[in-house]
Amino acid sequence: MPAPIRLRELIRTIRTARTQAEEREMIQKECAAIRSSFREEDNTYRCRNVAKLLYMHMLGYPAHFGQLECLKLIASQKFTDKRIGYLGAMLLLDERQDVHLLMTNCIKNDLNHSTQYVQGLALCTLGCMGSSEMCRDLAGEVEKLLKTSNSYLRKKAALCAVHVIRKVPELMEMFLPATKNLLSEKNHGVLHTSVVLLTEMCERSPDMLTHFRKLVPQLVRILKNLIMSGYSPEHDVSGISDPFLQVRILRLLRILGKSDDDSSEAMNDILAQVATNTETSKNVGNAILFPLLQTDHNAVQRHRSTIVDCLKDLDVSIKRRAMELSFALVNGNNIRGMMKELLYFLDSCDPEFKADCASGVFLAAEKYAPSKRWHIDTIMRVLTTAGSYVRDDSVPNLIQLITNSVEMHAYTVQRLYKALLDDISQQPLVQVASWCIGEYGDLLVSGQCEEEEPIQVTEDEVLDVLEGLLVSNLSTPVTRGYSLTAIMKLSTRFSSVNRIKKVVSIYGSSIDVELQQRAVEYNALFKKYDHMRYELRWCSTHSLLTGGRTRSHLNETALPTKPASAGGELLDLLGDLSLSGMPSMTVPLDAESAHSDRSSRHAPNVSLSSRAGIPPMTAYNKNGLKIEFTFERSNPNPNISVITIHASNTTEADMTDFVFQAAVPKVWPQSVVMTRPGGGALKRTESDSFLKLQQQLRMRIKLTYTYKGAPVQDLAEVNNFPPQSWQ
Amino acid sequence: MRFMLLFSRQGKLRLQKWYVPLSDPQKKKISREVIQMVLARKPKMCSFLEWRDLKIVYKRYASLYFCCAVEDQENELITLEIIHRYVELLDKYFGSVCELDIIFNFEKAYYILDEFILGGEAQETSKKIVLKAIEQADMLQEVGPIYFMKAFSARWAI
């Protein structure tokens, strides 16, 4: 039988094929020859045949019939055979193959071979593709080699150990003793692989992390030597000494230094040094700075300009990374400059970045704003340039911010008004602007702005703008809600009440149920509770607070989304009062109500002192949620008692999606009207008459809210109404 | 590193090294996808791509693309350096390496890679030492089985 053709010969031949079909034919012919050669158990040419098979495998053709042959090659005594055999194993014999395990014994023998290159082959194969079973069987051998003085083997053993640990994490402990003096090696290969091993162990186990913390001084010393020592041609890359090792050490230091002050202290100097000494004109320098940035922001502030320049790069990945880094680098000192760049970026960047960038700008501005005016200006800039990309939850936050900047109210409302004149398409901008105008419209009209030239605007013009929002196709239902409420609020500030009344009554028949409800209630305010309109002046959007003891009003709600079923639930609520109760009156809070209201001006009932001699009472106080009732006699009709509900949250987390439901026994049906603070009646089912009752007022309340991500529900009975409140 | 691929401008695979266990069809599918993605990149574009949960780091050297897939927390800049180091090793070994060298000596390309990277991590940061090891291993191939044990039984501490 003629000798099988050589590998290079085959490659040459196959490359002459002009079509896929021709190539396939050649391959099939050769495969047949190889198969018969394998059958003959020919030792001489096995190596050559397997090599050819591997070439054909790379072209995409099946080569599984060569798997066993690889094993035979590995078992051979010829180094050439072993080399190809192990290569074949790595390419053809992944751990899913049954044949895979048969390698274990061969590898074990070769790990103990007298020639280090054979040992190296075995370690390499084990470290690249050893299965968990194999790793378990051979971990002991690897551990032995980890302690050898032969650096060639030691570095390979270290990476092999990493693989073993990844496959069988329980075996991590057994490598611990061998790590003892890994870092005292001079050889960079061993140092590098040792640091990789240590990193792997520290990432997997907090105990290991604590154990290895004592290595920080040693690591720092090695790093120092790398930077300080002169030119070393062997390890130099563009003027930097062994950047691979530097990067690895920095990464390990970052892990060891996390939340440990002592370690961090020890590192600070060297980190600063690395940062200063590293030339960033080449990729290599940047490669080192990257993990550095993750460890210590101070040290790399001076590279800010490079990063900011990257914001203008053409490539999307670079831009994103630059944006993230820029936000990480922002601090009180560089806020003005950085913000200028970031706002410019926001202007010109792709839509996919705008939301994140806007959020980042708001956060940074909140943390480091040098002045209130600057802060408001920055927000304005974001709203006008990227207004439609701003996240929904930013709106309440911004409103709160504006609320708290008392001296800037006139300036803010003026700027927002002007922005509205330009563009009403960006919903977050429109919402914030509407709210502001509703609150501070009087400042706008009276031209009180100090910060800039006050504009002349009449009440009618303002109302025109707000009404324009109501009718515009560009406005979302939420935005319409904002503008209607703003118009309503202006009824207490403007003199053109009639016009407002008209608008409000028109929307009483709006198709949009939310708008309709609001309009109906506001109408009611005009008709029956005129004096309470002034309570609207302090309507702000917020829900239960975190922590603070501030009283907040339940406010500005969305349409109750469960009217139909709610009745049923509350009928249950009243179950054993043995009276059929009235369907619920729910007061859910919508997403608008998201932030706290800290200004005292915004709490008309600041103290819960008794009004008209009726003492306030605590209706519910559990799990940090406290609900208090205050009473007052309605002004025009002293037979009506108005109960105001104050809910406060004294825990450190938010309570959201708060729903308050109350039911009273049917004896009282026509007498209890649930209203929102400021007077908007939620539901009226009765005539104006009022029955004086002999029975004690009782109420069942049901509370649902979300706390720390989990839904909470509670029922309670309120019996301790002071007699004066209902008699 | 999860895997490394070398392929030509026509998308022909010249070397594939996998550091994670995957079936052949899976490897084929991934290779095809990654190759397509990288070949579609324009010349001035960034060397880093995000793909699934990995980062693809690639660089073109003449007619050959060198492409690595690393995990998210890996430093892609140093991965670029690793690619470059590998090319330098090939260059030193073959003497002004070109694609044909890698086609006709693919097994050597693998040996060099395996002497530089083990289990997806660099095992030796000195060019000199890697090349020396290859040289010595090559010499071992020349010697027949009889002298195998004797001549090279000494441990080489490099």
Side-chain angles (χ1 to χ4, degrees), chain A residues 94-209:
Chain A
D94 63 77
E95 61 184 50
R96 295 137 163 280
Q97 315 293 340
D98 305 318
V99 196
H100 181 83
L101 269 176
L102 296 175
M103 272 200 287
T104 315
N105 215 36
C106 281
I107 295 184
K108 186 164 189 180
N109 291 334
D110 284 342
L111 282 175
N112 292 303
H113 203 277
S114 47
T115 310
Q116 67 177 13
Y117 296 104
V118 175
Q119 289 173 292
L121 283 177
L123 280 168
C124 180
T125 309
L126 181 59
C128 284
M129 41 89 78
S131 64
S132 328
E133 293 86 22
M134 242 200 246
C135 288
R136 247 185 258 270
D137 286 338
L138 301 171
E141 308 295 327
V142 176
E143 198 258 344
K144 223 165 49 188
L145 287 170
L146 193 51
K147 298 191 279 211
T148 176
S149 54
N150 180 338
S151 53
Y152 178 76
L153 292 174
R154 212 169 180 200
K155 71 191 185 197
K156 291 182 192 269
L159 289 181
C160 208
V162 171
H163 179 83
V164 169
I165 291 174
R166 284 181 184 158
K167 281 292 193 185
V168 194
E170 307 89 70
L171 291 175
M172 183 162 56
E173 298 284 322
M174 73 181 279
F175 293 109
L176 190 52
T179 62
K180 229 200 241 161
N181 51 3
L182 273 177
L183 291 183
S184 6
E185 270 273 357
K186 286 269 184 306
N187 177 285
H188 282 220
V190 179
L191 281 175
H192 186 271
T193 57
S194 306
V195 173
V196 174
L197 176 59
L198 293 170
T199 310
E200 185 73 28
M201 292 168 109
C202 289
E203 277 174 348
R204 281 181 183 268
S205 152
D207 290 331
M208 290 285 184
L209 182 70

Side-chain angles (χ1 to χ4, degrees), chain B residues 63-102:
Chain B
S63 59
L64 216 50
Y65 281 91
F66 286 70
C67 178
C68 293
V70 295
E71 270 150 32
D72 219 27
Q73 71 270 28
E74 289 292 323
N75 184 338
E76 57 264 56
L77 297 171
I78 209 73
T79 310
L80 255 188
E81 289 302 316
I82 288 191
I83 291 178
H84 191 73
R85 174 57 66 88
Y86 180 46
V87 174
E88 284 180 326
L89 289 167
L90 289 170
D91 192 64
K92 234 1 193 309
Y93 182 82
F94 288 109
S96 278
V97 67
C98 64
E99 191 183 344
L100 274 181
D101 289 323
I102 300 187

